Amino acid sequence: MVDYVRLGKPTTILFRAAAFIFAGSAVFCALGEGLTRTYANGYTITLKIGESLYESLPTRWGDQLDPRPVSVQSQERPFIDPVALTDDSKVSREVSLSVGLIDLMNHVSHAKAVDRITPGFFDSYVKTISLGSHDHLNLPEISEPRYWSDTVKNDQMSYFNQMVSVLMAINLSHHYLGHYAKYAEKMGASETPLPINQFLTPVEWEMSVKAGAINSCSCALATAGARALFEAIDKLPQRPSWTAYIAPPFANLQALNKELDDYEFQFYHGTLGDQNTR
């Protein structure tokens, strides 16, 4: 298990990209020969990406968030939601996600990486995902040695980082766009916190997707990974209840992926204005 380590804050897009790759690669190397079939991506890189997303926001938005805006929970069920924690009369606005979601993203990222050398693998893998008790996921392990090559592992890390970045950026936006304040009472009305996506309007969701895409691209993390995750969910025979934490039930995931691709293209061609600048 990777410790909850708060890493230093990168200051440029290129440094961020290099830092994410180095962080993952260093852990893979540290595992040693014979133990490489363990995903390096987890707590540390997730926390690091959260800090980088915070730094990339305009000051008027970042000031509303905790500088270290991510917490990881031990639940096996995939989960991500904006939260506000009160400590000594101070409110920390952040995003909370589960180890179950990290596990899901690691496996889906791996399947997508393998698909680059074995076309059709991703579609076949998604069909093997099944639900256990209490809506927990059964994720088959990918064990064939050639699917753990350095090239595949690097692609897996890239997809994972992109998934984490876009999902966290969307959920962080719910704070500075006012969605969390609007729906917090409804989200906490039951024993288990409900996903904010159950209450968002299509317009609010679209605002958050756009803001999240800009925030993520500002950190040199594109949208391909998130699009792979949404594609995987779309291929499931039916959407399990936990998928509402990732996207609203009304969301057309194919249309969503096209939007993310368009926002990425516009961002890197400088046509999204100065929304990502301070």
Side-chain angles (χ1 to χ4, degrees):
M1 181 177 292
V2 182
D3 292 334
Y4 281 62
V5 178
R6 302 295 192 180
L7 301 180
K9 297 182 178 180
T11 57
T12 68
I13 287 179
L14 290 177
F15 188 85
R16 290 187 184 105
F20 297 147
I21 294 171
F22 176 79
S25 300
V27 178
F28 271 128
C29 293
L31 291 172
E33 187 176 356
L35 294 175
T36 56
R37 293 177 193 175
T38 301
Y39 295 117
N41 300 29
Y43 307 111
T44 301
I45 194 65
T46 297
L47 297 173
K48 185 175 180 63
I49 290 173
E51 292 179 4
S52 191
L53 290 170
Y54 165 81
E55 288 185 338
S56 295
L57 286 171
T59 302
R60 65 185 184 279
W61 292 345
D63 283 350
Q64 301 179 46
L65 306 172
D66 190 280
R68 295 178 174 177
V70 180
S71 61
V72 180
Q73 308 300 323
S74 61
Q75 290 95 326
E76 295 179 19
R77 190 169 184 253
F79 162 93
I80 185 169
D81 238 359
V83 295
L85 308 175
T86 302
D87 183 20
D88 296 329
S89 300
K90 178 185 177 182
V91 178
S92 296
R93 296 178 180 86
E94 56 187 52
V95 171
S96 179
L97 71 161
S98 67
V99 294
L101 180 60
I102 290 176
D103 195 31
L104 170 67
M105 291 189 291
N106 266 317
H107 281 81
V108 172
S109 295
H110 196 175
K112 194 66 174 178
V114 171
D115 198 73
R116 297 186 66 175
I117 61 172
T118 305
F121 185 93
F122 180 78
D123 287 351
S124 298
Y125 182 83
V126 171
K127 292 177 183 178
T128 67
I129 295 175
S130 61
L131 288 173
S133 60
H134 304 294
D135 219 13
H136 291 170
L137 282 179
N138 295 317
L139 296 165
E141 297 300 325
I142 300 172
S143 57
E144 191 170 334
R146 68 190 179 109
Y147 294 153
W148 287 85
S149 67
D150 289 342
T151 298
V152 172
K153 289 190 293 186
N154 286 336
D155 286 343
Q156 187 272 337
M157 285 189 287
S158 294
Y159 284 127
F160 176 89
N161 293 348
Q162 293 167 4
M163 285 182 192
V164 170
S165 182
V166 172
L167 286 190
M168 287 200 300
I170 288 173
N171 279 273
L172 284 173
S173 78
H174 294 317
H175 285 298
Y176 58 76
L177 294 178
H179 303 158
Y180 179 79
K182 180 179 179 181
Y183 297 116
E185 186 173 345
K186 292 181 179 180
M187 292 169 63
S190 64
E191 183 176 343
T192 302
L194 298 173
I196 194 171
N197 290 330
Q198 286 191 193
F199 308 106
L200 294 174
T201 67
V203 171
E204 290 168 338
W205 168 246
E206 174 59 32
M207 290 171 60
S208 286
V209 169
K210 185 175 184 179
I214 293 170
N215 191 191
S216 186
C217 288
S218 296
C219 297
L221 289 167
T223 65
R227 286 185 273 127
L229 179 60
F230 293 133
E231 180 185 355
I233 292 173
D234 197 43
K235 290 179 182 296
L236 295 175
Q238 61 182 18
R239 289 195 202 178
S241 62
W242 54 263
T243 62
Y245 289 101
I246 298 173
F250 61 73
N252 179 325
L253 298 183
Q254 293 183 28
L256 171 61
N257 276 351
K258 185 178 184 305
E259 287 180 355
L260 287 171
D261 193 35
D262 288 344
Y263 288 143
E264 180 182 321
F265 179 87
Q266 293 174 47
F267 178 89
Y268 289 119
H269 285 77
T271 58
L272 281 181
D274 62 353
Q275 299 172 62
N276 61 314
T277 59
R278 294 185 184 275

